[in-house]
Amino acid sequence: MTGAPSLAACLRSLRAVVFDTDGVITDSAGLHAAAWKEAFDPCLAAAGGQQRPFDPVEDYLRLVDGRSRQDGAAAFLASRGLDLPLGDPDDGPGTDTVRAVAARKDELFTARLRAGGVAVWPGTVRLLHVLRDERVPCAAASASRHATELLSAAGLLGLFAAVVDGREAGRLGLPGKPDPALFLEAARRLGVRPREAAVVEDALAGVEAGRRGGFGLVVGVHRSAGPAGADALRRRGADVVVSDPGELLTCGEG
């Protein structure tokens, strides 16, 4: 008969695992993409011309996913030739500055989150429980300022020995992905060297951050069909690409 699940061989020699949140643990990428579209499209409309609307798949994955709100807003606006001023940290939601657009996105995302909540990926939850059972400490590291709130609402916060979210990154002055600072801080809090830990990440910028940080294993998560996204994750530095982190478990025969 089939035995209890255990860690795949690629994880067994490592002492810790650092997880991204959105798209890896929580099924919240769609909420983020929809909020970004509603924040960006008025900027594009105000610019006039033949600006095409924000694409919640292509533009989200290429320019926004895995980055801080400010960095994501700046990257997308620059890609469309919109030279908005950075603005002030206390800018309210709007379209006049990069920080105002980022604030508008946060407002929209928060409203969606509180109206409908967010689901989690069952395969990742199974992996987290096995890691806990095998005494492998885990951290969550996310550019999102809502990561801790999401994990708490999902009842998963207790599975993590450390959480480095967007609020912590701001407090510590950590640069956003693809800089590895967020992941390196998570490894430091777990008490391990980067080469002793794995990073599990679905965003291109996050995979690149894991590789630049010198982590022992970088796992790319590609949930949609087709090879293109998986190939892009490998080009950015993923050692292994899975369609779900639950694939990092094996079932022994007993």
Side-chain angles (χ1 to χ4, degrees):
M1 65 179 181
T2 301
S6 61
L7 298 177
C10 61
L11 289 178
R12 289 179 196 153
S13 63
L14 299 171
R15 295 180 55 206
V17 182
V18 180
F19 290 83
D20 177 47
T21 304
D22 295 310
V24 174
I25 303 169
T26 59
D27 187 6
S28 45
L31 294 179
H32 282 289
W36 276 122
K37 180 171 179 59
E38 196 170 343
F40 282 138
D41 282 356
C43 299
L44 299 174
Q50 299 298 314
Q51 290 279 4
R52 59 184 174 82
F54 175 79
D55 188 311
V57 176
E58 180 182 346
D59 289 330
Y60 177 76
L61 293 174
R62 185 169 60 92
L63 297 165
V64 174
D65 189 25
R67 301 178 186 267
S68 70
R69 283 186 293 117
Q70 182 176 306
D71 289 349
F76 173 74
L77 294 169
S79 77
R80 296 299 181 85
L82 301 183
D83 187 22
L84 269 63
L86 177 61
D88 298 319
D90 59 353
D91 280 355
T95 59
D96 295 334
T97 69
V98 171
R99 282 174 166 151
V101 174
R104 176 61 175 153
K105 183 267 174 180
D106 190 57
E107 178 181 68
L108 292 163
F109 177 80
T110 300
R112 283 178 164 81
L113 176 63
R114 292 176 180 168
V118 66
V120 297
W121 292 104
T124 306
V125 175
R126 288 194 298 273
L127 175 60
L128 285 166
H129 280 284
V130 173
L131 287 164
R132 181 194 61 186
D133 292 344
E134 300 203 10
R135 293 180 172 81
V136 179
C138 297
S142 173
S144 172
R145 296 170 63 86
H146 297 280
T148 300
E149 177 185 358
L150 288 168
L151 293 171
S152 180
L156 300 177
L157 192 58
L159 294 173
F160 295 95
V163 177
V164 185
D165 63 10
R167 296 181 190 278
E168 276 292 277
R171 183 181 70 81
L172 296 172
L174 301 178
K177 305 169 190 176
D179 191 286
L182 202 67
F183 290 148
L184 293 174
E185 175 63 15
R188 186 191 69 80
R189 294 187 184 192
L190 293 176
V192 300
R193 291 169 291 186
R195 68 173 180 266
E196 298 173 318
V199 163
V200 184
E201 170 68 82
D202 69 321
L204 295 174
V207 166
E208 182 178 339
R211 175 55 56 227
R212 289 171 58 182
F215 282 81
L217 178 71
V218 180
V219 179
V221 179
H222 176 56
R223 296 191 183 276
S224 58
D231 290 343
L233 289 168
R234 291 189 183 94
R235 287 195 297 271
R236 291 293 185 96
D239 299 300
V240 176
V241 177
V242 297
S243 60
D244 183 89
E247 294 173 27
L248 297 172
L249 294 173
T250 62
C251 288
E253 297 297 323

